[in-house]
Amino acid sequence: MRKASFIILLLSGIAVVHAQNVLTLDSCRALALRNNKQINVSKLKQDVALNVKKAMRTKYLPKVDVLAGYELTSREISVLSKDQKTQISNMGTLGLQQIGTDLTNGFTSQITNMVQQGVISAQQAQQLGALMQQMGTGPMAQYVGQMGNTIGQEVVKAFRTDTRNVFGGAVMVRQPVYMGGAITAANRMADITGEMADNDLSLKTQSTLYGIDQAYWTVVSLKQKQKLANSYRELVRKLDDDVQKMIKQGVATRADGLRVDVKVNEADMQITQVEDGLSLAKMLLCQLCGLPMNQEITLADEDRDNLDAGMEMANTYIPDSTLSCRPEIRMLQNVVSLSEQSTKLVRAAYLPHVALTGGYLISNPNMFNGFQKKFGGVWNIGVLVQVPVWNWFEGTYKVRASKTATQMAQLELADAQEKINLQIAQCQYKVSEAHKRLAMAEKNIKSAEENLRCAQVGFREGVMESTDVMAAQTAWQKAQSQKIDAEVEVKLSQVNLKKALGILN
């Protein structure tokens, strides 16, 4: 609803500007809110805070990472030593040699025993020995030895890792279970940061509106004083014309004419000063509204005779005890809340952390079925627990420091509340004083107008001098100027009070 009202107000303000360059206070506010760069920066900060808040929400969800890699090494890992590779590759030959030696020694011992027992003769023993030697070096033995060597070489080849070219990949899943309250604290801090961005926008909006109101009523005041200066110049010119006629008739002196001429020059100088001030004030108003500074504008309240008509009495508004309507107070409250959450975040770093892990790992070569030159993988799942045991009271000291920072923020908040209460009281007093001054100025206007009328009548009747008329004109101008100042002061004091109360919108 508030956004819809703002859009309608903005469109109406733009339509008025393009139609006839007549600006009301509301249209100036709408233009300033649309074109103010600091407000636009605050809106971008809101967007940043929103995205940070969304990012913090993802801390509750599982994270999935995918890794892949390739590595080339100058040497491969060897399970067998060089001596072991040689022995296994020649295990057929070496085995036959060992078996032949053992058989020969055993057979020789048996033949010797048989010769000693007289079972066989020495000649028969020599023939048996020659036969055994021929069997150990014959074709059958060579075949068996070659087969054994081949099997040994295959075994050595099977034990080769070939890890000079390694390919690997993994998919990992991490799900936090308990982080000591760190995730909750971080999310709460993100929420508070978003609130601070909103309050910053509210603060910039109120400051912009305050500046617009000040510039708007300054232009209105100078425009009224320009009209007053023109009216005063017409009075003194009329007096100068009357004095010149009286000089010609001999009823007034040349000195009287010179005194009136000085007043005419002073009136012209006042008009010049007011016009210069009015031009500068309009340039400032255009700059605040985002319009070209040399653009000709007309304000809707320039020609009003009574500026205080319909003025809202903001001093009847009673704020709550915490003054939370002030964006500055809300921002300080946000600082206190942030400090409290920061303490929880510090404490969480020294509490146990629990997380679930899982994933799938592949590699080439793989070792799941010997050393295979192809991709192979394995699933894994686990629980990760981290428990701080001893840190020489580091966590205690950091928590104490964070709590002290929170107390400092609370004291700053209380100090700001006291100062704002004083500011509200001062603004309420100034509103009341401004209304009193306006009432007195209106009374002085009546007295000054009557005094001027009597002086003019007396001068025409010849019973009063020109100096009396000029004094009456000066008093009239002063009374009119005081009335304009009082009317604008009523407006500005109400704006100051609204800003102090935090209801300037």
Side-chain angles (χ1 to χ4, degrees):
M1 184 66 183
R2 184 177 298 178
K3 290 183 178 180
S5 301
F6 172 73
I7 293 173
I8 294 173
L9 180 63
L10 179 61
L11 293 176
S12 63
I14 295 174
V16 169
V17 171
H18 287 285
Q20 53 187 1
N21 287 337
V22 176
L23 297 177
T24 64
L25 179 60
D26 288 338
S27 63
C28 288
R29 286 181 166 191
L31 288 170
L33 293 178
R34 185 189 66 174
N35 298 315
N36 186 272
K37 292 181 177 59
Q38 291 300 320
I39 290 180
N40 292 330
V41 169
S42 296
K43 290 179 179 178
L44 293 177
K45 288 181 179 179
Q46 281 185 317
D47 186 61
V48 171
L50 178 61
N51 285 288
V52 171
K53 181 179 177 180
K54 292 179 178 178
M56 286 296 106
R57 292 294 188 269
T58 64
K59 297 295 184 181
Y60 292 108
L61 304 176
K63 301 295 187 297
V64 180
D65 298 322
V66 177
L67 301 177
Y70 165 77
E71 185 177 8
L72 173 64
T73 59
S74 61
R75 300 176 62 184
E76 68 178 34
I77 298 173
S78 179
V79 178
L80 301 177
S81 65
K82 292 181 179 180
D83 293 339
Q84 289 173 335
K85 290 179 181 180
T86 302
Q87 291 176 359
I88 295 174
S89 297
N90 300 307
M91 69 177 185
T93 303
L94 295 176
L96 284 176
Q97 290 177 355
Q98 184 66 35
I99 293 173
T101 301
D102 293 341
L103 287 175
T104 300
N105 292 335
F107 190 72
T108 301
S109 177
Q110 291 294 329
I111 291 176
T112 302
N113 290 334
M114 292 174 67
V115 171
Q116 291 176 354
Q117 294 175 2
V119 178
I120 61 173
S121 64
Q123 185 178 2
Q124 291 175 335
Q126 291 178 355
Q127 292 177 352
L128 288 174
L131 179 62
M132 288 297 299
Q133 184 177 5
Q134 185 179 2
M135 291 178 63
T137 58
M140 181 62 69
Q142 293 178 359
Y143 176 76
V144 173
Q146 291 177 358
M147 183 178 293
N149 290 342
T150 302
I151 294 174
Q153 291 171 3
E154 291 294 332
V155 172
V156 171
K157 184 178 180 181
F159 272 97
R160 184 182 177 187
T161 60
D162 194 13
T163 53
R164 289 177 299 174
N165 296 281
V166 179
F167 299 87
V171 177
M172 297 182 296
V173 180
R174 293 171 286 112
Q175 173 61 57
V177 177
Y178 177 72
M179 295 288 114
I183 296 179
T184 302
N187 275 272
R188 181 56 187 149
M189 292 176 72
D191 294 339
I192 296 171
T193 303
E195 294 175 3
M196 290 187 70
D198 295 338
N199 293 330
D200 180 66
L201 177 60
S202 178
L203 177 62
K204 296 292 178 57
T205 299
Q206 289 197 9
S207 298
T208 301
L209 294 178
Y210 180 75
I212 281 292
D213 285 15
Q214 293 275 347
Y216 182 89
W217 293 117
T218 299
V219 172
V220 172
S221 173
L222 290 173
K223 185 64 177 180
Q224 294 286 337
K225 288 189 176 182
Q226 183 188 36
K227 293 168 59 179
L228 174 62
N230 289 327
S231 299
Y232 177 71
R233 184 176 63 179
E234 292 301 321
L235 287 176
V236 294
R237 281 182 174 178
K238 180 66 171 60
L239 178 62
D240 181 63
D241 184 63
D242 293 341
V243 170
Q244 293 300 326
K245 292 178 180 178
M246 294 176 68
I247 291 175
K248 292 179 180 180
Q249 295 176 0
V251 294
T253 64
R254 181 65 179 166
D256 294 330
L258 292 175
R259 282 194 294 268
V260 177
D261 288 339
V262 170
K263 286 295 181 179
V264 172
N265 293 333
E266 289 180 355
D268 291 335
M269 181 60 67
Q270 288 180 3
I271 291 176
T272 301
Q273 292 175 344
V274 170
E275 287 178 347
D276 291 342
L278 180 61
S279 299
L280 292 175
K282 284 189 174 182
M283 290 173 65
L284 175 60
L285 182 61
C286 288
Q287 189 271 330
L288 293 175
C289 293
L291 301 174
M293 288 191 295
N294 57 352
Q295 180 171 333
E296 291 294 330
I297 59 174
T298 302
L299 303 186
D301 294 306
E302 285 184 1
D303 298 323
R304 287 177 56 182
D305 295 330
N306 221 356
L307 296 182
D308 67 325
M311 188 65 204
E312 182 182 356
M313 296 295 292
N315 56 346
T316 58
Y317 177 81
I318 301 176
D320 62 290
S321 59
T322 61
L323 298 173
S324 59
C325 50
R326 284 287 293 263
E328 298 96 328
I329 293 298
R330 295 199 300 270
M331 293 182 71
L332 289 174
Q333 291 171 342
N334 293 147
V335 171
V336 173
S337 299
L338 273 178
S339 183
E340 292 173 348
Q341 296 301 321
S342 177
T343 301
K344 295 180 180 180
L345 196 62
V346 171
R347 184 184 293 112
Y350 299 92
L351 294 177
H353 294 175
V354 181
L356 296 178
T357 62
Y360 184 74
L361 174 67
I362 60 173
S363 65
N364 183 2
N366 71 84
M367 296 179 291
F368 302 113
N369 188 18
F371 284 93
Q372 292 180 318
K373 193 63 176 179
K374 64 180 182 179
F375 284 99
V378 61
W379 291 97
N380 64 83
I381 186 171
V383 178
L384 178 64
V385 180
Q386 177 188 1
V387 181
V389 177
W390 183 253
N391 50 44
W392 299 102
F393 301 104
E394 177 187 5
T396 302
Y397 299 144
K398 287 187 176 180
V399 169
R400 289 178 182 175
S402 184
K403 288 183 177 180
T404 303
T406 302
Q407 293 176 357
M408 293 168 58
Q410 291 172 341
L411 290 176
E412 290 180 358
L413 173 61
D415 182 62
Q417 288 173 334
E418 292 178 358
K419 291 180 178 179
I420 288 177
N421 279 321
L422 177 60
Q423 183 185 22
I424 291 174
Q426 291 175 340
C427 289
Q428 289 174 337
Y429 174 78
K430 289 183 178 179
V431 168
S432 177
E433 182 181 9
H435 281 283
K436 291 179 180 179
R437 287 183 179 178
L438 178 59
M440 294 175 60
E442 290 174 346
K443 292 181 180 178
N444 291 338
I445 286 282
K446 296 178 180 179
S447 299
E449 288 177 346
E450 180 63 20
N451 182 37
L452 177 60
R453 189 188 65 81
C454 294
Q456 290 173 339
V457 172
F459 180 72
R460 287 195 297 268
E461 297 295 332
V463 296
M464 299 187 71
E465 298 182 357
S466 61
T467 54
D468 297 325
V469 177
M470 288 188 292
Q473 290 175 341
T474 302
W476 175 83
Q477 183 195 29
K478 183 177 180 181
Q480 291 286 351
S481 179
Q482 288 177 346
K483 178 179 178 292
I484 295 172
D485 291 337
E487 288 176 336
V488 174
E489 185 179 357
V490 169
K491 290 286 187 180
L492 295 181
S493 64
Q494 287 284 351
V495 172
N496 290 334
L497 180 57
K498 283 186 175 183
K499 187 175 185 298
L501 294 171
I503 59 174
L504 183 61
N505 48 38

